[in-house]
């Protein structure tokens, strides 16, 4: 972290007369020892409005955030709400006041410690957010200023009222729309997986499981854009209607139709590409439904995340034979392994969204029993809502609804 005199942030505690004062090299500004040479300004404070928006609301001294205090696949058991001091950004960092945060199936994998067993509680939760820059370090000011709107995704800490984010990992966004949040993980996963592992060709048949969910909606659209015939599984007629609206040729509501029988009857030649996120029996069905030279992309197995093992049983004893007989392939996709593709993917999706060529469906819980997901504490409800299979689109929590006179948030 940068020493306090170099920090540029918004708030009552930041006095413009102190920002930017620094001693000569080799002295300690906090020791109280008289300097050997006079102090000098390294920043002209007449430009301090670039770093500190005094017309905006002040940063409070404390905030709420969600912290994993116990490793468990039960999110409510693993995570607690903590009140802590608002963090201060370092030299190359931004302090973001979160407006929206995204809910992902992998949130409970993270709270269970499945991604990095060496990390022990307590640690922060949440992968992605979008909000307003309210403070920043000196180096970060070369690209951003207070009041900018940014989206970000990383390795934890988004489930908070304020989050410190490396400037290089932030993405400028033109407005505070939650739709941009859908692109960071859900959209990028579908875009890169389909492009790098799917090798889609015009006229091929593509099956997307959990097609009306956060990432499934994008897999459907990207497959359709590639000229493919798209099948999408879902759990209700409402979701089937949504899938039709985004180009899905054959929505299958598995609560009213037998998925296995439908695939065998309507697609006897098999499926060329499967985008699979459910696991268990659905994964087995996907393997059995592959066409010759078919490609099965595994991006998750949500059906098993809430179990102690983290995965539902899979009868894979004959898998090598089944793949060999069809010259088929089965590949896994984990977004952090494809970061080199991320920038291009995000740029392309944002352009498509701006042109009206990409639907980014957001579910903020407006139809949930207890109402819209508002406030940090509603993250718990949002996770439960998603795992109950009730969401249509990406689940998003409105952390800080706009107040009177706040035009940005």
């Amino acid at each position: 972290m940068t020493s306090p005199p170099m920090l540029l942030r918004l708030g009552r505690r930041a006095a413009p007369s102190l920002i930017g004062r620094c001693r000569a090299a080799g002295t300690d500004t906090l020791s109280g020892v008289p300097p050997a040479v006079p102090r000098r300004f390294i920043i002209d404070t007449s430009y301090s409005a670039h770093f500190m928006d005094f017309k905006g609301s002040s940063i409070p001294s404390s905030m709420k955030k969600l912290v994993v205090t116990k490793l468990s696949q039960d999110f409510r058991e693993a995570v607690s709400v903590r009140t802590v001091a608002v963090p201060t950004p370092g030299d190359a960092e931004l302090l973001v006041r979160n407006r929206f945060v995204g809910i992902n199936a992998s949130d409970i994998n993270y709270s269970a410690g499945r991604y990095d067993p060496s990390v022990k509680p307590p640690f922060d939760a949440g992968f992605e957010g979008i909000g307003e820059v309210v403070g920043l370090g000196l180096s970060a000011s070369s690209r951003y200023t207070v009041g900018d709107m940014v989206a970000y995704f990383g390795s934890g800490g988004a489930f908070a009222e304020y989050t410190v984010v490396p400037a290089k990992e932030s993405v400028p966004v033109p407005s505070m729309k939650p739709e941009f949040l859908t692109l960071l993980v859900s959209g990028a996963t579908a875009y890169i997986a389909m492009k790098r592992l799917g090798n889609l060709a015009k006229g091929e048949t593509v099956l997307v499981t959990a097609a009306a969910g956060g990432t499934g909606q994008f897999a459907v659209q990207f497959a359709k854009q590639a000229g493919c015939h798209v099948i999408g599984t879902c759990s209700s007629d409402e979701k089937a209607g949504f899938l039709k609206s985004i180009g899905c040729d054959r929505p299958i509501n598995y609560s009213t139709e037998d998925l296995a029988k439908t695939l065998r009857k309507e697609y006897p030649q098999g499926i060329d590409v499967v985008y699979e996120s459910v696991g268990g029996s659905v994964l087995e069905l996907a393997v059995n439904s592959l066409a010759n030279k078919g490609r099965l992309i595994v991006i998750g197995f949500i059906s098993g995340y809430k179990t102690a093992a983290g995965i539902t049983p899979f009868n894979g004893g004959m898998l090598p034979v089944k793949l060999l007989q069809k010259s088929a392939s089965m590949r896994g996709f984990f977004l952090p392994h494809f970061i080199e593709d991320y920038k291009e993917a995000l740029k392309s999706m944002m352009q498509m969204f701006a042109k009206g060529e990409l639907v980014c469906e957001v579910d903020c819980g407006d139809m949930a029993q207890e109402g819209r997901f508002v406030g940090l504490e509603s993250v718990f409800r949002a996770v439960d809502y998603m795992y109950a299979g009730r969401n249509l689109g990406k689940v998003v929590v409105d952390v800080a609804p706009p107040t009177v006179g706040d035009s940005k948030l």
Side-chain angles (χ1 to χ4, degrees):
M1 299 292 285
T2 311
S3 59
M6 294 293 287
L7 299 175
L8 304 164
R9 60 181 301 186
L10 164 66
R12 292 184 297 267
R13 293 168 291 158
S17 61
L18 298 179
I19 298 298
R21 278 188 3 196
C22 179
R23 286 197 53 185
T27 61
D28 183 357
T29 60
L30 301 180
S31 66
V33 178
V37 295
R39 296 187 180 196
R40 62 187 179 88
F41 284 97
I42 63 169
I43 300 172
D44 183 348
T45 56
S46 65
Y47 292 95
S48 61
H50 178 71
F51 307 105
M52 303 186 305
D53 181 8
F54 290 107
K55 295 180 181 179
S57 60
S58 297
I59 296 176
S61 60
S62 64
M63 69 171 195
K64 293 179 181 179
K65 70 175 181 177
L66 300 192
V67 178
V68 177
T69 55
K70 174 185 177 182
L71 295 182
S72 174
Q73 69 276 8
D74 183 333
F75 192 80
R76 288 182 178 272
E77 181 180 283
V79 179
S80 301
V81 180
R82 293 284 179 87
T83 299
V84 298
V86 174
T88 300
D91 178 60
E93 295 176 328
L94 308 175
L95 178 63
V96 178
R97 181 171 62 198
N98 290 317
R99 170 64 197 276
F100 298 104
V101 295
I103 306 297
N104 293 282
S106 51
D107 285 325
I108 70 171
N109 283 334
Y110 194 64
S111 70
R114 292 170 180 154
Y115 290 143
D116 187 354
S118 66
V119 177
K120 305 300 180 185
F123 55 85
D124 297 341
F127 296 120
E128 56 185 343
I130 182 172
E132 180 184 2
V133 176
V134 293
L136 67 167
L138 181 58
S139 295
S141 69
S142 64
R143 293 181 55 200
Y144 295 98
T145 187
V146 165
D148 285 350
M149 292 169 285
V150 297
Y152 64 89
F153 110 90
S155 58
F159 291 163
E161 292 174 329
Y162 293 83
T163 301
V164 167
V165 184
K168 64 180 181 180
E169 297 178 8
S170 304
V171 180
V173 291
S175 63
M176 203 66 72
K177 292 182 178 180
E179 285 82 0
F180 289 114
L181 192 57
T182 69
L183 305 177
L184 301 182
V185 176
S186 300
T189 295
Y191 184 97
I192 300 171
M194 285 299 205
K195 184 175 182 180
R196 289 286 301 273
L197 307 186
N199 299 316
L200 303 180
K202 186 176 181 179
E204 289 189 314
T205 299
V206 176
L207 170 64
V208 180
T209 61
T215 188
Q217 63 172 320
F218 293 106
V220 167
Q221 293 177 81
F222 296 143
K224 195 62 184 174
Q225 289 174 7
C228 298
H229 176 89
V230 184
I231 311 160
T233 70
C234 61
S235 60
S236 71
D237 290 339
E238 179 190 9
K239 292 180 180 181
F242 166 71
L243 290 177
K244 287 183 179 179
S245 75
I246 61 172
C248 184
D249 298 286
R250 180 59 167 99
I252 300 177
N253 177 0
Y254 55 77
S255 65
T256 59
E257 294 187 73
D258 186 300
L259 179 59
K261 289 182 180 179
T262 300
L263 292 178
R264 283 196 300 269
K265 179 181 178 180
E266 299 184 17
Y267 302 94
Q269 299 302 312
I271 309 299
D272 297 301
V273 178
V274 181
Y275 185 82
E276 215 293 282
S277 61
V278 179
S281 61
V282 176
L283 178 59
E284 291 180 25
L285 176 59
V287 171
N288 295 334
S289 301
L290 285 172
N292 290 339
K293 298 182 181 179
R295 287 88 72 195
L296 171 55
I297 306 170
V298 177
I299 62 115
F301 27 91
I302 190 173
S303 63
Y305 290 168
K306 297 191 79 171
T307 67
I311 185 172
T312 46
F314 170 70
N315 184 14
M318 295 296 292
L319 181 62
V321 175
K322 292 177 179 179
L323 295 179
L324 178 62
Q325 288 177 337
K326 297 181 177 180
S327 296
S329 63
M330 180 177 179
R331 297 184 65 179
F333 179 90
F334 188 47
L335 183 58
H337 295 159
F338 292 83
I339 291 300
E340 68 275 11
D341 299 290
Y342 188 76
K343 184 176 181 180
E344 185 273 330
L346 200 58
K347 179 180 179 181
S348 178
M349 290 187 293
M350 291 184 73
Q351 290 175 343
M352 283 189 280
F353 177 64
K355 295 177 182 178
E357 299 171 351
L358 187 65
V359 174
C360 304
E361 188 69 17
V362 172
D363 190 336
C364 289
D366 294 286
M367 302 304 292
Q369 185 175 358
E370 297 179 49
R372 186 178 176 88
F373 304 131
V374 176
L376 192 64
E377 290 85 349
S378 66
V379 166
F380 296 99
R381 283 201 301 120
V383 171
D384 292 342
Y385 179 82
M386 180 185 64
Y387 271 91
R390 298 176 61 192
N391 61 297
L392 197 165
K394 174 79 174 183
V395 181
V396 171
V397 172
D398 192 344
V399 176
T403 57
V404 176
D406 191 340
S407 60
K408 292 178 181 177
L409 295 182

